[in-house]
Amino acid sequence: MPSRMPTKNASLRKLLRKEQLNSRRRGNHANNNQNNNNQSRQKSVGTVSPRGVKALTSSLKLSTEDVVSPIMTIDSQQNSYKGFYFHKKTGPVLAIENLSDSSYQTLSELVSDTNILAQELNASNDGGQAPPPPTEIYLAPDERLSEQARQTLLQNTLTTLNLGQVSQGKEYTRELFNGYVKFKLVDTPEFIEPQHQVMRPLELVREMGERDQYRPGHQLYNSVIKTLGNYIDTVNLKQDELVKKSKSKPLSPDDFKKANDEVQAKLKNLNDALNQYLNEGVSLKIPKTLLNKKYRAIKKLQKQLVAANKDDINEVLEVTRQNYWLRTFNPLNANTAAQGVRLGKGAQGEVFSKIFDVSDRPDLPDSFEAATKFSAAYANDEAFSAGIPRDNPGEAKRAVATYEMSRLLGLDVIPPTVFVLGTNPRTKRQELGYAIQKVSGTDAQIDERTHTYTKEEITQSGYLNDPKIDIQGNEKRVWNEDGILKEAYRFITRPVQVPSMDTNAQFQKDLANLQILDNVIGHADRHLGNVRIELAENNTIRVKGIDNDDTFGSRWAPKNPHADLRDKQGSKTPGMPPTIDVHAAVSILKVTPNDLEPLRTKLTDAEYQATKTRLENVQKTIRQRITDKQLAIMPGQTLSEADKAFLATAAELPNASSLSQLPQWGSVSVYQAYMPVPVTSNKPPITNSYIGEIIALAQSPDPSLAPSQSRGFASWPNNA
């Protein structure tokens, strides 16, 4: 969760607190004094017409059924904004349009107006309580603002709303959203405190039975006091630096490592001084009783230092990092989740199942069973080639950002994915990980066992029992915990036979949407093994992408089937699909670069800029698909006249007539456009889509088969 930014204007803070008090007083006398209050402010409070309700809810991506009250409206006396206030089923909502400045006058008026609207809508409020703060705030800054003015406006508005609207224990945090800047009311996290304290220089002086911190002529004693002070000062300084930096940009593992290394260097100097004092203390010629007291004080300090720097990690800095995660990412607690099972080992680390209590997280499904994963020690070759750092690749941020981008673009092809804080099984330390909702069904490809090696075959092979020798691509070995070979077998990889794949509209649309998303997020390793196919309601086939932590690399490129060199071949994603869903086209083209700003908390500057560039390229391709009439629509759906006009304008069409009769997903023409293109060489066919990848895999040969035989499809699993 973003930290609560401190206000720089003391008078504004005072006014906001005064406004909160006035709000409570208005709550005590709402029925008697409400009209007087409104008239004294010369404010005109109105309600939105049915047509206005439909337009506003549509722009906020709500249905009219979500709104359970009239929508109240009020204008700024300074023409600085227009405000709307209403109730959803989950609580009050505030929408602010055309906010043009964040001056003292404007923001103080905004806080006052919010309370006026709330009082107007809660006229029957009982108990003398102030109205509850909005659970969601949608903010549309004036489009004429410069980038710097826009950022200042957002920061000052968030500060003001947190001070003027929120009770203790709550705060607003920003979410990815299209068209508006969306703030959501969340619980302020309970921060962690260091468990182990280290005595300060003056405490050590007293423990040693001394009166002064500095004693002329006592070099060893003075060295101990000085190096202890240097250590304490360095810990505090590095902690402050991490906190300050985290408010402007994401903290990287390198930031923490650099700070911790400096603290550990000071700790080494301190330990050297302490050991020298213990070894040479006899030369101080002081009474043995006092000398023993000094020794006990030194030993006590050494134990404190060991506890506060376990495994060469300073606890104060570690707690600072964990509090940064709590404040910025609002993670679930993986340590308190219901006991899950080990699901397996992926390319990037262990994968575990957990069942989380998400009763306080309305953004998540009621029953949230998820695969939990923590960061791997290093990125795989595909991720590294795409620009993801080899060391500390930060998979959790990438996986959660993928889910958020899927929602922002309106694609719905990624299961709910959130941050967790828990113990990494690999490092045994508290770390930031992620949980992705468990998806039923089957992977798009299955490894089918074709032959299990006997003990005699393993012995005769000369290599199967030797972990230092690589095996063939279609062989697999299973080792037990003691490193002894349990079994070895050959397998063949086949794509799953999806029922009526050539006419299944939802399946085709979902795969196309996943391919579009991967072109935006830059998925470095999307293969059919991390495409999940599930049988949803009404026997509908749905597609979800999993293993989304190799994403947002700064050097990502789509698949290049003509390249011979590995570093020129790009990723496994074959560019944009040949046909685009028309509603996906609308939602994606409405996304602006400003809508991506919340990603800055998860990505480096280079990764953020690369994502913006990829989005622009995807939008450019979609405009071309509109011009080339390469759009499709789901059976039974229609495209509104407003969306037709929007797409025609975006693609610079003379009119929207070409958008009236669109081919449907599941039709022959759409499916044929996805067929792989055969080549005349020994190379695999050229594919333009994930559907094409499935077909190409089924048509490809395998070493275990006859030269003229293709591997074909695997049957739909019985347990899927």
Side-chain angles (χ1 to χ4, degrees), residues 560-565 568-570 683:
N560 181 3
H562 305 290
D564 294 323
L565 298 178
K568 301 295 184 182
Q569 292 175 357
K683 293 183 178 181

Side-chain angles (χ1 to χ4, degrees), residues 115 486 511 642 660:
N115 287 317
K486 292 176 59 178
L511 271 182
S660 296

Side-chain angles (χ1 to χ4, degrees), residues 442-446 493-498 507 511 527-533 543 694 697 713-714:
T442 177
D443 292 341
Q445 68 180 28
I446 295 176
T493 301
R494 289 191 172 101
V496 170
Q497 179 68 64
V498 176
F507 173 73
L511 271 182
H527 51 77
L528 298 180
N530 55 37
V531 174
R532 197 77 176 161
I533 305 175
V543 173
I694 293 174
L697 179 61
F713 287 95

Side-chain angles (χ1 to χ4, degrees), residues 33 41 45 136 162 174 190 197 269 290 364 372-374 386 422 517 530 593 634:
N33 297 337
R41 294 174 184 273
V45 178
E136 296 175 3
N162 275 328
R174 185 176 174 184
E190 296 182 8
Q197 301 296 323
N269 294 339
L290 185 56
L364 294 175
T372 302
K373 190 173 177 183
F374 291 90
L517 176 66
N530 55 37
M634 284 292 291

Side-chain angles (χ1 to χ4, degrees), residues 545-619:
I546 59 174
D547 292 346
N548 303 304
D549 43 28
D550 291 338
T551 52
F552 295 98
S554 58
R555 299 192 303 269
W556 181 88
K559 182 179 181 179
N560 181 3
H562 305 290
D564 294 323
L565 298 178
R566 175 66 187 89
D567 59 348
K568 301 295 184 182
Q569 292 175 357
S571 69
K572 296 181 174 70
T573 299
M576 288 283 285
T579 307
I580 307 294
D581 181 74
V582 67
H583 288 104
V586 172
S587 61
I588 293 171
L589 290 177
K590 286 184 177 180
V591 175
T592 69
N594 288 336
D595 296 329
L596 304 183
E597 287 173 351
L599 289 177
R600 288 186 179 275
T601 63
K602 303 176 182 68
L603 307 178
T604 65
D605 289 340
E607 292 169 344
Y608 176 70
Q609 294 301 328
T611 303
K612 290 173 63 177
T613 300
R614 288 194 296 267
L615 174 62
E616 291 169 358
N617 291 336
V618 165
Q619 291 175 329

Side-chain angles (χ1 to χ4, degrees), residues 643-657:
D643 285 342
K644 290 179 184 178
F646 171 78
L647 292 179
T649 301
E652 299 181 353
L653 300 178
N655 56 64
S657 59

Side-chain angles (χ1 to χ4, degrees), residues 224 236 346 576 689:
V224 166
N236 293 334
M576 288 283 285
S689 64

